[in-house]
Amino acid sequence: MHYAIIADIHANLAALVAVLVDIERQGDVEELWCLGDVVGYGPDPHECIALLSKTNHICVAGNHDLAAIGRLDLSEFNPDAALACRWTAKNLTAADKRYLQSLPRVIEKEDFTLVHGSPREPVWEYLLSVSSARENFGYFKSQFCLIGHSHVPLVFKQSKHGACSFSQFPPNTALELGKERLILNPGAVGQPRDNDPRASYAFYDSDTGLVKLHRVPYDINATQAKMVKSNLPMRLVARLSYGV
Ligand code: ZN
């Protein structure tokens, strides 16, 4: 069966639409696995929740999802993120808020654990170093863990002897799921931060055990124009051009 793994949509409807079209091109998908931050930063929080809700999907809560419904203190956010979050909160319907409220922080699905940040701290921890990954392997039971939050596609691997290694997750290269435990980040749909502005997601084929990262161009200008119109911070607008 096929599964698409997406994270950090960040209210970027143009990016989400492009990714969903690309996923459909890859073949029938049983279920979409979403790793949180559906909203925040971008101009289309309601539209992204509405579109995602039409798909067969499961989703965990991200820090921006929780902040938008008042479940996280904005003092933890930088000023641009806090401003965007207050804007997001004003642009959600009651149904959107109910959807965000319904999101669990951890989902266990067959061989996978889904979280936004890390298995140790599902909402807040950025998992970007081998040392923190090594500790985090102790915080989930399944063989694989899927994370978002850093917006950087990457793979942490734990060998049988407990050693931990890190690698980039390059596009169009199939990663074979073997016996080792892995923590995987599929990159961000709506605000990539690995110097590639294209939307990022992963496609998993459970029959072959292969996971492949895909990068998808989308109409960045369309999203930026909406952000400018909504007076969202210019730094957030500009970074989409560069994927930073
Ligand atoms: Zn995010």
Side-chain angles (χ1 to χ4, degrees), residues 205-235:
D205 183 334
S206 64
D207 301 321
T208 61
L210 297 177
V211 184
K212 205 165 166 186
L213 193 84
H214 294 267
R215 299 307 287 251
V216 189
Y218 73 95
D219 190 349
I220 295 174
N221 290 338
T223 297
Q224 288 174 319
K226 285 191 216 170
M227 291 174 78
V228 169
K229 213 173 153 194
S230 300
N231 286 319
L232 285 160
M234 281 312 291
R235 198 180 70 88

Side-chain angles (χ1 to χ4, degrees), residues 7-15 36-49 62-69 72 74 76-92 100 116 123-124 126 148-152 188-193 218 220 222-240 243-244:
D8 296 285
I9 297 165
H10 281 296
N12 187 337
L13 182 66
D37 278 4
V38 179
V39 303
Y41 295 138
D44 295 308
H46 165 71
E47 290 77 3
C48 286
I49 292 174
N63 52 318
H64 285 261
D65 303 320
L66 295 171
I69 52 170
L72 266 194
L74 281 183
E76 303 271 0
F77 279 57
N78 69 51
D80 284 345
L83 193 151
C85 184
R86 280 190 284 271
W87 181 90
T88 301
K90 281 191 227 139
N91 286 276
L92 293 173
L100 295 176
H116 179 63
V123 174
W124 265 118
Y126 286 94
H149 197 38
S150 70
H151 302 199
V152 177
V189 171
Q191 194 201 73
R193 292 180 192 162
Y218 73 95
I220 295 174
T223 297
Q224 288 174 319
K226 285 191 216 170
M227 291 174 78
V228 169
K229 213 173 153 194
S230 300
N231 286 319
L232 285 160
M234 281 312 291
R235 198 180 70 88
L236 298 179
V237 176
R239 68 189 304 175
L240 294 180
V244 292

Side-chain angles (χ1 to χ4, degrees), residues 166-189:
F166 155 83
S167 62
Q168 308 283 345
F169 196 173
N172 301 317
T173 314
L175 173 78
E176 195 169 355
L177 301 184
K179 294 221 165 78
E180 282 152 333
R181 298 184 80 210
L182 300 175
I183 299 174
L184 292 177
N185 189 323
V189 171

